[in-house]
Amino acid sequence: MSDALVTAILALGLAVIVVRRRSVAIALLSAQSLLLGAGALQLAGERGSDYLVASIVLAVKAIAIPILLFAVLRQTREQRLVAPASGPLVRLAGAGALALLCVALVPPLGLGDPQTERTAVALVFVGAAIVVARRPALLQLVGLIVAENGLALLAVSVPGGLPYVIELGALLDLVLVVTVAAAFTRRIHGELGTGDTELLRGLRD
Amino acid sequence: MTELVPTLAWLVPALPAATAALVLAMPSARAADRLNIGAAVLTAALALALAATALARGDQPPLHGRWYLIDGASGVFEAVIAVVGLCSALVSPAQLRAGGHGWFSARRSRRLYYAALYAFWATLLTIPLAGNLGVVWLLVEATTGASALLVAFSGRRAALEAGWKYLVLTSLGLTVALLGIVVLAIAQPPGGLHALDWHALAAAAPRLAHEPALFAFLLILAGLAAKIGWAPVHNWLPDAHSEAPAPVSALLSAALLPAIVLVAWRVKTALAPAVEHAGAVFVGFGLASLIVAVPFLWRPLPWKRLLAYSSLEHMGVLALGIGFGTPLALAGVALHVAGHGLAKALGFYAAQPLLRLDPDAAERAPSGVAERSAPTATAMGVSLGSLAGLPPSPLFLSELLILLGGVEAGQGAVVAVAIVALALGFLGLLHAFMEGVLGEPAGHARRRAHRGERRLVALTATLGSGLLALTAAGAFLPGYAFVAALARGVL
């Protein structure tokens, strides 16, 4: 995968932690999944089945999941934007620092492509940072999928690819988790009148 | 029996999975209840037959199939998941009658509950049998969706909070674990699915490059720790255990957490040749979990929340045993998983009549239960006494074996800290017993809970006898061929 593509995939992940609107975050996620899918198709081996699996993953992650997320968005309209816990620059600085830390700490993994290796690990932790730093439930779900995209970036770069069972099984698991999380998001919105998870802080010891 | 293993290894997960689908087509709640009872008994019988076959093999090498690996550890964990799943299924109709519909409409509620419960149980029963790290990851991740829905089943705000936290944190953890598995796949060209088989990993480990292997091991362990609820990544655990319906709490604590501990244990045994000091990571998680859990055992917490912190403590004890890795410690781990499973499940089942007796016990520590209901107090007492490690609890013996294993491994300082933490935990649970079960009842509510008490008496007698049988069996465990096989790992 070209360095520019890998950098663009990371930049889209970092952008999710900055943007204000949930719709923009979903669009960014969709673009990230699309670039990742395009890269995977480029890397797919000569077997037709490699293309088929890469196409299924691309269709689900870049089209089906964003459609589901947009549907949830429509059903959970906010009266006004959920106030962020910290400013966008602080969030970006935090996620950027985390990404740099990953770059510094990740040992050579054996792909022979240090940029992809480091970016993939950094993206997983940027996804985790989105989950921690963003308050709306839907944005936390987007963070989870950004982390999964980081993992997928490394997975598609494995010579010969991951076994189909793992690749398609992980996709099925992702769809299950996103479907359940979407149901939760609707229910949380129905219960609280907002998707602000900051209000879900009743359980403390 | 060995020739039946391939058939049983398919049937055991397939039966509850088919039940999960079939129950959705049941015409009435009563029919769903009847299917539940029949399927639970049959599933548990088959799983126990498989477990008995695995345990009877002593120190013979594990049984391998195309997708399964069955060894002594599979036998222990499969038996625990079978028994806890059976008991949870049997007490579920009463839970559903008392708990209302919550998240889902009354018409769909019961069928969806059973469908999620059986899907969850089927996946749990498959985890100890799966012979491949990648497939195990898929199964562990698959437990998340169904169990998160069950945690939030009541639809209350607190349950939604607990379910959401559980879903997000454990999914994130498992993404990190899968990243570690991909790193392992890169380290083993030309790869392929069977390169991730437990025995293939163990055979290839001595040839793996040190740095990527260590990095993969740490990522996998950190990710699994989030699902096990080892400190410091345990935030979801007390919330999910306290908010889930009691039968689900029992499955989460007594079956799910140990099943993931087994996965972590297999990762350690497979990768140990490539990762120096792999045991130290387990010891670190173990001590952290003990130290974080013990102060909470001293606080006047609601009953299910107290049991949740006790789970954190016991998962810490298991981590210590696996970290020490000596045959004595591993004998202790096997006994501890079984003893903890029975005692903790009984504790959660006692919550059903307890909450009918005193609905406020969902929000505050119980008090004076013995004066209001002797059967509920007895179940709580048996559970607390066993979890505290009060002889003749099998947990006394298992903790002793694990600590002696630590001394054998030359980890005297760790053992000393663990002894202090366990002693404080023991006193904390004893205090909870004196105040909550024997003390003066607080408040004015004096309702008696007749419904469900006979069921609880039967469960207390059965699980209590099981605990005593485990103690008796545990006394003969060290030196038994089965322990040598546990210490040898998956090869």
Side-chain angles (χ1 to χ4, degrees):
Chain A
M1 211 177 284
S2 74
D3 286 356
L5 196 59
V6 171
T7 309
I9 289 170
L10 178 63
L12 286 166
L14 285 169
V16 172
I17 206 166
V18 179
V19 295
R20 295 181 69 207
R21 307 196 76 85
R22 295 180 301 167
S23 52
V24 180
I26 298 171
L28 289 169
L29 174 73
S30 179
Q32 187 188 48
S33 300
L34 199 65
L35 289 186
L36 189 60
L41 281 173
Q42 196 187 335
L43 288 173
E46 287 171 4
R47 286 179 299 173
S49 50
D50 283 354
Y51 280 101
L52 181 67
V53 170
S55 309
I56 292 171
V57 174
L58 187 144
V60 171
K61 287 176 73 172
I63 301 168
I65 287 179
I67 288 175
L68 174 66
L69 295 181
F70 274 118
V72 175
L73 182 75
R74 263 201 6 217
Q75 291 158 350
T76 59
R77 290 273 176 223
E78 297 282 353
Q79 298 295 329
R80 54 178 175 276
L81 285 177
V82 173
S86 51
L89 283 179
V90 175
R91 297 198 299 267
L92 182 64
L98 197 61
L100 285 176
L101 193 68
C102 290
V103 169
L105 292 182
V106 174
L109 303 180
L111 275 183
D113 179 359
Q115 195 192 350
T116 302
E117 290 173 353
R118 290 166 180 170
T119 307
V121 178
L123 199 53
V124 170
F125 287 93
V126 167
I130 295 169
V131 173
V132 173
R134 304 309 307 256
R135 289 166 55 172
L138 199 59
L139 281 182
Q140 293 188 342
L141 176 54
V142 169
L144 262 186
I145 306 171
V146 167
E148 212 279 336
N149 275 349
L151 161 72
L153 174 61
L154 193 67
V156 298
S157 310
V158 177
L162 275 194
Y164 296 152
V165 174
I166 308 287
E167 205 165 339
L168 293 175
L171 183 70
L172 181 67
D173 276 344
L174 178 71
V175 170
L176 273 176
V177 165
V178 172
T179 309
V180 172
F184 263 91
T185 307
R186 281 191 288 259
R187 183 78 194 185
I188 288 169
H189 195 273
E191 181 75 23
L192 307 179
T194 168
D196 185 359
T197 53
E198 197 64 18
L199 300 177
L200 287 175
R201 282 179 168 266
L203 293 168
R204 287 280 179 279
D205 289 311
Chain B
M1 278 294 275
T2 304
E3 63 278 7
L4 285 178
V5 163
T7 315
L8 283 174
W10 276 108
L11 263 181
V12 167
L15 190 64
T19 307
L22 200 61
V23 79
L24 291 172
M26 286 293 110
S28 65
R30 186 174 290 233
D33 282 347
R34 276 203 295 265
L35 175 65
N36 164 50
I37 304 293
V41 171
L42 194 55
T43 302
L46 291 175
L48 285 173
L50 183 58
T53 310
L55 290 171
R57 289 176 54 79
D59 67 346
Q60 292 178 59
L63 290 165
H64 291 292
R66 192 170 161 71
W67 69 271
Y68 65 82
L69 177 142
I70 294 169
D71 60 358
S74 310
V76 173
F77 285 78
E78 193 74 359
V80 172
I81 295 168
V83 170
V84 176
L86 171 66
C87 295
S88 283
L90 294 181
V91 301
S92 284
Q95 175 72 35
L96 291 166
R97 273 196 297 275
H101 50 84
W103 181 326
F104 303 103
S105 69
R107 200 172 58 80
R108 298 166 62 212
S109 168
R110 183 166 298 223
R111 279 172 284 184
L112 285 174
Y113 171 90
Y114 283 130
L117 185 77
Y118 275 86
F120 183 34
W121 192 21
T123 321
L124 285 177
L125 284 166
T126 321
I127 289 173
L129 311 179
N132 182 285
L133 175 58
V135 173
V136 162
W137 183 91
L138 295 176
L139 293 166
V140 173
E141 177 72 335
T143 61
T144 306
S147 52
L149 282 177
L150 287 167
V151 167
F153 188 75
S154 74
R156 297 187 308 130
R157 179 185 282 209
L160 282 176
E161 176 182 345
W164 179 255
K165 210 185 273 186
Y166 168 67
L167 181 70
V168 171
L169 292 180
T170 57
S171 298
L172 203 53
L174 290 176
T175 303
V176 173
L178 185 55
L179 184 68
I181 295 172
V182 175
V183 173
L184 264 188
I186 295 170
Q188 272 188 292
L193 181 62
H194 291 292
L196 293 174
D197 284 353
W198 292 120
H199 61 279
L201 277 175
R207 299 190 302 275
L208 291 179
H210 173 68
E211 274 197 338
L214 176 65
F215 188 58
F217 176 76
L218 291 176
L219 287 174
I220 296 172
L221 252 279
L224 293 177
K227 183 83 182 179
I228 294 166
W230 275 334
V233 277
H234 63 286
N235 292 36
W236 64 268
L237 190 148
D239 299 347
H241 285 53
S242 58
E243 292 305 319
V248 177
S249 305
L251 263 179
L252 283 174
S253 175
L256 172 72
L257 303 190
I260 316 298
V261 168
L262 173 65
V263 178
W265 181 6
R266 292 218 198 277
V267 170
K268 175 182 176 264
T269 48
L271 294 185
V275 181
E276 259 181 274
H277 310 303
V281 182
F282 282 79
V283 169
F285 277 126
L287 278 185
S289 301
L290 277 178
I291 290 167
V292 168
V294 164
F296 288 98
L297 300 180
W298 275 87
R299 291 172 60 171
L301 292 174
W303 175 245
K304 284 166 75 183
R305 229 169 154 76
L306 180 75
L307 293 180
Y309 281 107
S310 153
S311 296
L312 178 59
E313 181 200 18
H314 287 291
M315 291 310 114
V317 172
L318 290 178
L320 284 181
I322 296 167
F324 295 150
T326 58
L328 265 186
L330 295 179
V333 167
L335 186 60
H336 203 82
V337 165
H340 169 260
L342 301 192
K344 188 56 66 65
L346 179 61
F348 279 117
Y349 303 142
Q352 280 185 327
L354 174 68
L355 291 176
R356 272 201 294 278
L357 193 72
D358 178 7
D360 291 344
E363 309 294 334
R364 58 163 177 73
S367 59
V369 178
E371 276 204 20
R372 299 180 194 172
S373 163
T376 309
T378 308
M380 290 169 74
V382 170
S383 174
L384 272 185
S386 303
L387 292 170
L390 185 71
S393 162
L395 299 187
F396 171 75
L397 196 54
S398 60
E399 285 168 3
L400 191 65
L401 289 172
I402 288 171
L403 294 173
L404 289 173
V407 173
E408 193 186 7
Q411 304 247 26
V414 175
V415 170
V417 176
I419 287 174
V420 172
L422 286 171
L424 289 172
F426 172 82
L427 291 174
L429 290 183
L430 202 63
H431 176 249
F433 176 69
M434 305 291 278
E435 292 287 320
V437 181
L438 300 180
E440 282 291 308
H444 300 293
R446 291 288 190 277
R447 284 193 285 148
R448 292 187 58 82
H450 292 295
R451 269 178 62 184
E453 284 193 339
R454 264 205 307 221
R455 192 181 316 110
L456 188 62
V457 169
L459 277 170
T460 309
T462 311
L463 297 177
S465 309
L467 286 165
L468 287 176
L470 282 174
T471 306
F476 296 100
L477 206 50
Y480 181 61
F482 159 76
V483 176
L486 283 184
R488 204 175 52 231
V490 291
L491 279 175

